[in-house]
Amino acid sequence: MTSLSVNHLLGIKNISKNDIELIFETADYFKEIINRPIKKVPSLRDITIANVFFENSTRTRLSFELAEKRLSADVINFSSSSSSVKKGETLLDTINNILAMKVDMIVMRHASPGAPHFLSKHIDANIINAGDGTHEHPTQALLDTYSIREKFGEVKGKKIAIIGDILHSRVAISNIYALQKLGAEVMVCGPNTLLPKFIKTLGVHVELDVEKALQWCDIANVLRIQLERQEIKYFPSLREYSIYYGISKALLDKIGKPVTIMHPGPINRGVELNSDVADSDAAIILHQVENGVAVRMSVLYLLASNKTPLN
Ligand code: CP
C-alpha cells in the first residue's frame, strides 16, 4: 500500500491498520532525515498549510509547524484568542476566509468534539484533527504507538495501561483505537468517576487499583487531570488523587518489574507523575515528543500525496 485510505485525518477510528503501518514506515524515513545535519526536504514545496488552534497547545502546534517547515511547506498560524472569532464570526466563515487565501491544508484544534468532521463535509482542503474536545487526538496516538514500536520492535502483544482522567481524554480514546488495531491489549485505570460509562464497550480491561494496573502492564501511559474540562468535582482534591493514583519511584520499586512510562504532556508534576519517574530512564516522554515531528511529517506528506478528489 502506498497511499492512505482517507483524505483527512479526523480520528484513528476511521483509519485502517494498513494506514497506520504506512504512516509508521513513512515516519521511519522522515526520522532518519531529521537526524541529518540538513533536516529539510522539498516534499511539500508549493503547499500552504494553516495551523488553526482554537485551544491552547505547546507540543502539537510547534510539532506540526516544525514538521511543515521541515517539508518546505508555506505555513500560517491562527490562534483564536487574537482573531476575529472574538467578534462573532462562525467556524465555517473563519475557515473559508483562510482557504480563500489559497491554503491547501488545515490542521485544527477545537474544543468541540466533531468540529473537524463538520468542516470536512463543507470545505475543499485536507483536514488534520489536532484534538477535538474530549473526542480524538489522532496524531498523539500515532506518535505514542510509534514510540512503543520503536522501543519494543512491535506493538502487537504488548500490554498498555492508560492511567488517569479517561473521562475527559481524547488521547485515551485515540490510543485505545490505535493500540487495538495494532494488536495490543489495553487497560484503563482511574477513579470510577473519571472512567466514562461506555468504556467497556471499547473492549478494554478496567482497573481501579493503580498498583494492579502497573503489575499487569508493560507500558503505562499516564494522563493528567483535565481540570479545565471539569465543571464538577470528580474527586476530593488533587492531593488525594496523587496519593491514590500518582506514580512515584517508590511505587514502581514496589512493583518490582520494569514498566515503561509514557505521558502525552503537559505533565502536572507531583500529581499524576512524580519527578523521580518523569525524569528517570523508565520514561520515554521526550522520545514521544521527538517522534511527534517525524510522525506528523509522515501524515502531512501522505495526505498531500493522496490524489483522490476531495468531497
Ligand atoms: N499532547 C498535547 O496535545 O500537548 P499540547 O496540548 O501541548 O499540544
Side-chain angles (χ1 to χ4, degrees):
M1 203 175 92
T2 53
S3 64
L4 295 176
S5 65
V6 289
N7 281 325
H8 311 285
L9 181 63
L10 302 177
I12 301 293
K13 187 177 182 178
N14 66 337
I15 64 170
S16 66
K17 180 182 175 204
N18 284 344
D19 287 326
I20 298 175
E21 284 170 349
L22 176 62
I23 291 167
F24 286 179
E25 282 156 25
T26 312
D28 288 340
Y29 168 72
F30 285 126
K31 181 151 184 186
E32 196 262 312
I33 288 189
I34 60 180
N35 279 298
R36 288 182 193 166
I38 296 169
K39 301 172 173 60
K40 216 164 161 162
V41 285
S43 312
L44 293 195
R45 209 176 50 201
D46 299 329
I47 298 279
T48 305
I49 305 175
N51 300 314
V52 181
F53 278 67
F54 291 90
E55 259 193 5
N56 294 343
S57 170
T58 299
R59 279 145 291 268
T60 312
R61 195 174 63 77
L62 293 178
S63 176
F64 265 114
E65 187 173 345
L66 203 52
E68 291 151 5
K69 287 178 172 167
R70 298 270 193 253
L71 291 167
S72 306
D74 291 320
V75 180
I76 55 171
N77 290 305
F78 166 97
S79 152
S80 62
S81 57
S82 56
S83 75
S84 291
V85 169
K86 294 276 177 212
K87 301 175 193 167
E89 194 172 44
T90 67
L91 172 63
L92 195 52
D93 279 341
T94 301
I95 299 296
N96 273 329
N97 276 273
I98 292 171
L99 292 178
M101 299 178 215
K102 309 295 175 208
V103 166
D104 304 291
M105 266 194 199
I106 299 281
V107 175
M108 184 174 79
R109 171 168 289 190
H110 201 282
S112 298
H117 305 67
F118 163 78
L119 271 192
S120 71
K121 292 186 171 56
H122 292 92
I123 66 169
D124 191 19
N126 304 103
I127 299 168
I128 300 177
N129 179 4
D132 60 328
T134 56
H135 183 216
E136 281 226 41
H137 191 349
T139 55
Q140 181 68 46
L142 289 168
L143 73 90
D144 289 342
T145 43
Y146 183 84
S147 302
I148 293 170
R149 169 185 175 266
E150 181 177 68
K151 169 138 186 158
F152 292 93
E154 63 176 347
V155 179
K156 191 174 176 196
K158 295 290 162 296
K159 292 178 169 178
I160 294 97
I162 306 174
I163 301 173
D165 181 357
I166 313 297
L167 184 66
H168 301 99
S169 177
R170 53 196 175 209
V171 173
I173 302 299
S174 287
N175 260 272
I176 291 168
Y177 290 137
L179 289 164
Q180 290 179 337
K181 281 178 199 235
L182 295 172
E185 227 181 311
V186 187
M187 173 182 280
V188 295
C189 173
N192 235 332
T193 49
L194 289 178
L195 300 174
K197 289 200 169 39
F198 65 81
I199 199 73
K200 278 195 177 150
T201 65
L202 297 183
V204 297
H205 304 277
V206 177
E207 176 58 67
L208 303 181
D209 183 329
V210 75
E211 204 174 312
K212 286 185 186 159
L214 289 170
Q215 259 150 5
W216 176 85
C217 71
D218 305 304
I219 300 136
N221 195 350
V222 186
L223 308 178
R224 79 186 166 91
I225 301 292
Q226 301 205 23
L227 288 173
E228 74 276 21
R229 297 192 203 281
Q230 300 185 9
E231 279 147 23
I232 60 167
K233 267 188 170 280
Y234 291 87
F235 50 88
S237 68
L238 282 179
R239 190 168 168 275
E240 183 153 311
Y241 179 85
S242 93
I243 290 169
Y244 287 102
Y245 287 96
I247 297 179
S248 61
K249 184 173 181 305
L251 180 57
L252 289 183
D253 288 347
K254 194 172 162 195
I255 300 302
K257 69 170 182 85
V259 176
T260 296
I261 302 293
M262 301 175 68
H263 195 302
I267 301 172
N268 287 147
R269 286 175 183 261
V271 181
E272 71 274 10
L273 209 51
N274 280 7
S275 290
D276 57 11
V277 177
D279 302 328
S280 73
D281 290 342
I284 59 165
I285 297 165
L286 292 180
H287 293 288
Q288 292 171 253
V289 177
E290 180 187 343
N291 287 334
V293 178
V295 166
R296 290 181 172 117
M297 285 173 80
S298 168
V299 168
L300 291 160
Y301 172 78
L302 289 167
L303 285 179
S305 327
N306 222 345
K307 297 295 176 227
T308 317
L310 289 163
N311 294 319

